[in-house]
Amino acid sequence: MAKKNTSSGQVRIISGQWRSRKLPIHDLEGLRPTTDRVRETLFNWIASDIRGARVLDCFAGSGALSLEALSRYAEFATMIELQKDAANQLKQNLATLQCQHAEVINGDSLTILAKGTQRGFDIVFIDPPFRKELATKAIDLLMTHHWLNNNALIYVETESEIASLPVPASWVPLKEKQAGQVTYRLYQYQTTDTSAQ
């Protein structure tokens, strides 16, 4: 049985400049905010890498991951969200926080990732709606269209029945944990390009 998030309708920022701030989120189908416990573990893992990082949130949803990163002084966050109401709520929450170091893109994540980017990212969150095979497709697009800076950290959250996640050889697994029906993993992208040496 899926556990109901006790903070349904709100997301709480754990630490940083907006510590303990609660922000409204829409109760929309497929919107599944990363729990406080999982978020706390994740941000303990990446704490020393957030300040000054460029963050990409491939399936932003409630924005819990991006907002936490921005609260901890990430340089900039790009949030991609398919559902218009959720995207509009993200924009409102950024305005409430008076945060101008972020952009919200309302659209299909896979379509947007396929367009590529002019600047790479240092931290990438992949936390898609479950059981649609979106994580694997997003991983392929991130690599094909050069979204990752060298040594980028990539967080992937999937349903726990996915026993193993096919990732590129250049993604070094750093951490993996399970919490209820969720498995979450952290990788580091290490380019094999030696031309700069």
Side-chain angles (χ1 to χ4, degrees), residues 89-146:
Q89 185 67 68
L90 284 171
K91 292 175 184 176
Q92 288 175 27
N93 287 344
L94 287 168
T96 298
L97 295 168
Q98 298 181 324
C99 176
Q100 298 176 355
H101 307 291
E103 64 176 346
V104 178
I105 302 173
N106 178 207
D108 178 75
S109 299
L110 301 182
T111 302
I112 291 159
L113 292 176
K115 293 177 181 177
T117 182
Q118 292 184 327
R119 286 189 67 189
F121 290 84
D122 307 303
I123 296 175
V124 177
F125 300 128
I126 304 172
D127 180 15
F130 283 176
R131 299 177 182 87
K132 297 184 178 181
E133 299 180 10
L134 292 171
T136 306
K137 293 173 183 175
I139 288 167
D140 289 343
L141 291 168
L142 287 168
M143 291 299 294
T144 304
H145 298 284
H146 311 293

Side-chain angles (χ1 to χ4, degrees), residues 63-79:
L65 298 175
S66 297
L67 293 169
E68 190 71 43
L70 288 164
S71 181
R72 299 175 190 226
Y73 303 100
E75 178 190 299
F76 191 83
T78 294
M79 310 182 201

Side-chain angles (χ1 to χ4, degrees), residues 13-21 68-73:
I13 296 175
I14 298 168
S15 188
Q17 60 184 319
W18 305 318
R19 181 176 182 168
S20 299
R21 287 288 296 270
E68 190 71 43
L70 288 164
S71 181
R72 299 175 190 226
Y73 303 100

Side-chain angles (χ1 to χ4, degrees), residues 7-8 48 50 53 57 106 112 125 138 140 142 165 183 188 197:
S7 59
S8 179
S48 62
I50 299 171
D57 197 341
N106 178 207
I112 291 159
F125 300 128
D140 289 343
L142 287 168
L165 195 64
T183 297
Q188 186 165 42
Q197 293 180 358

